[in-house]
Amino acid sequence: TLGKSVLWESAFCLLRRCRKQSVRPDIITFNSLLGACAKANQYQKARDVLRRIPGQRFEPDIITYGTMISACKKAGLWEEAVPLLDAARQRSLA
């Protein structure tokens, strides 16, 4: 729907504004961005966000992995969820 589309786009705009104002995002910021992408069925965007997390000097948490697994489910990509679950298990999060 239009509302969900606007939500993920607005989330990216907010992240850009924060960076322009030297506000450093944290894992909660990225998890929120992942959630907006997942709800809008924007799996590729969510995957791009997930790839950017390690470069931010923090690690994915259980919320990160759960949100990404939900995004995989919504996109019908269960095979993509398996490595995420394995990664969460390796970090003792699952």
Side-chain angles (χ1 to χ4, degrees):
T1 65
L2 179 60
K4 289 181 181 178
S5 173
V6 171
L7 179 64
W8 75 266
E9 291 172 353
S10 294
F12 276 96
C13 287
L14 182 59
L15 180 63
R16 283 191 294 272
R17 284 179 52 199
C18 287
R19 288 194 168 143
K20 284 182 182 177
Q21 296 179 2
S22 299
V23 176
R24 185 171 163 78
D26 59 12
I27 192 63
I28 296 168
T29 308
F30 278 86
N31 286 344
S32 298
L33 190 55
L34 285 172
C37 292
K39 286 179 184 169
N41 203 22
Q42 293 291 323
Y43 171 75
Q44 291 298 330
K45 292 283 186 190
R47 199 165 107 181
D48 292 344
V49 170
L50 179 65
R51 288 182 178 151
R52 291 170 49 191
I53 289 174
Q56 301 298 313
R57 298 188 187 135
F58 44 81
E59 295 295 322
D61 62 12
I62 191 65
I63 303 298
T64 311
Y65 289 114
T67 303
M68 280 303 302
I69 290 168
S70 293
C72 291
K73 175 186 171 213
K74 190 167 188 165
L77 299 169
W78 278 106
E79 65 279 0
E80 299 285 329
V82 174
L84 295 167
L85 186 55
D86 290 342
R89 285 185 180 142
Q90 287 176 352
R91 298 190 65 231
S92 300
L93 298 174

